[in-house]
Amino acid sequence: MKETIPNLDGTSRIYAVFGDPIAQVQTPHLVNPIFSAAKTNIFAMPFHVTPENFSATWDAFAVMSNVAGIGVTVPHKVVAAERCATLTATARAVGAVNSIHRGQDGRMHGALFDGVGFIHGLGDGKAALKNARVLMVGAGGAGRAIAYALAEEGVSHLRLMDLDPASIAFAKDLVNSFAGRDVASGVFPSDGWDYDVVINASPIGIKGGSRFPMPEDSIRSSMLVADIASLAGETELLRAARAAGATISDGNDMLSAQLRLIAGFAAGLPAGIPLE
């Protein structure tokens, strides 16, 4: 018989990934090579967990000592945060988690790596954030985490666009509370496009026929343009930014950085330290 997982044994630990649906989730496939390369003897596995079964499933996995942690995706990020014994500052502020580590004390410790994953994924482009004027389109779950991370990096202004006014209000209050001053606010196209950094944290570019609200001829070569929607291919925003000579970052940069942070947290490293 062919050994497909030759090092799986009684000392192996599981990183369970909960979602509903689960078939589209890529975390196990992408994070297992990171675990393997670091010789952690941890294996990520997907589990289809519906909302009505979440509590019972959480309770069962939380008491298993060979569970290294739990990853959560839609629709469990908020309810999982409520079940954690501790939360990172970002997870606490946003009220959601996407990765949980089971500590040696048996308690579950939650983190949200969307924001810090975005920052790490920028690489050298991170330097452009200090005192930057930033436009971000999309203030949903990922956008809120990114907004918090931008505040931590010391941006001078964060202007927010979203179809949901409540999402803008949440992200604005989140950032301004952290900064202790009015850094974030909603913005309208009529206010102009004079920014140093432009971020798409919305589904624009991958869903429907909607277009990014910033005119392509407003993109300058001095800008940093990031689009977390760009995974399978380049979006119109990134094509325009590349043509203008701007520095660009796509969703794969964020995803790659986030996976290493998730792997590090599952392996017992402090939140925010990647597994190399």
Side-chain angles (χ1 to χ4, degrees):
M1 180 181 293
K2 182 180 178 180
E3 289 185 312
T4 55
I5 314 179
N7 56 333
L8 180 65
D9 57 28
T11 67
S12 299
R13 305 181 72 207
I14 300 301
Y15 182 73
V17 181
F18 293 176
D20 179 30
I22 195 66
Q24 83 290 350
V25 172
Q26 296 295 309
T27 299
H29 166 70
L30 296 172
V31 80
N32 275 326
I34 300 173
F35 287 142
S36 178
K39 303 186 185 330
T40 61
N41 200 16
I42 299 173
F43 297 88
M45 298 182 64
F47 293 88
H48 185 193
V49 181
T50 61
E52 56 267 31
N53 291 326
F54 179 84
S55 293
T57 308
W58 175 281
D59 290 343
F61 277 76
V63 298
M64 297 181 195
S65 61
N66 67 334
V67 170
I70 300 171
V72 291
T73 184
V74 174
H76 303 311
K77 291 185 176 184
V78 172
V79 68
E82 296 170 352
R83 300 295 298 271
C84 291
T86 68
L87 297 170
T88 60
T90 304
R92 185 168 55 252
V94 176
V97 296
N98 65 354
S99 186
I100 299 103
H101 166 67
R102 186 182 189 277
Q104 292 184 347
D105 59 1
R107 299 196 305 162
M108 306 301 273
H109 307 279
L112 182 63
F113 292 123
D114 290 329
V116 67
F118 172 80
I119 300 297
H120 280 234
L122 293 177
D124 293 340
K126 172 184 173 181
L129 298 178
K130 186 69 174 177
N131 296 319
R133 299 163 300 167
V134 181
L135 168 68
M136 186 168 72
V137 177
R144 294 171 186 179
I146 292 171
Y148 191 88
L150 291 171
E152 290 183 312
E153 293 298 317
V155 301
S156 64
H157 298 88
L158 176 59
R159 301 296 177 251
L160 302 163
M161 287 187 182
D162 194 284
L163 294 176
D164 180 13
S167 293
I168 292 178
F170 188 103
K172 180 184 70 173
D173 292 345
L174 184 75
V175 169
N176 293 342
S177 176
F178 173 84
R181 61 187 181 89
D182 289 339
V183 171
S185 66
V187 69
F188 299 96
S190 59
D191 294 325
W193 307 102
D194 188 16
Y195 299 102
D196 305 305
V197 177
V198 176
I199 302 167
N200 179 32
S202 79
I204 293 174
I206 59 171
K207 289 176 62 177
S210 57
R211 296 179 61 88
F212 196 76
M214 183 178 185
E216 293 182 0
D217 59 9
S218 295
I219 300 175
R220 306 186 306 274
S221 61
S222 59
M223 288 178 170
L224 167 64
V225 179
D227 191 341
I228 71 170
S230 179
L231 286 165
E234 215 168 49
T235 58
E236 290 185 11
L237 172 62
L238 286 190
R239 283 194 292 271
R242 187 186 296 279
T247 300
I248 64 174
S249 178
D250 65 16
N252 291 296
D253 295 330
M254 175 178 166
L255 177 61
S256 178
Q258 188 169 190
L259 285 166
R260 293 198 174 275
L261 294 169
I262 288 171
F265 196 50
L269 298 177
I273 303 299
L275 185 65
E276 303 291 356

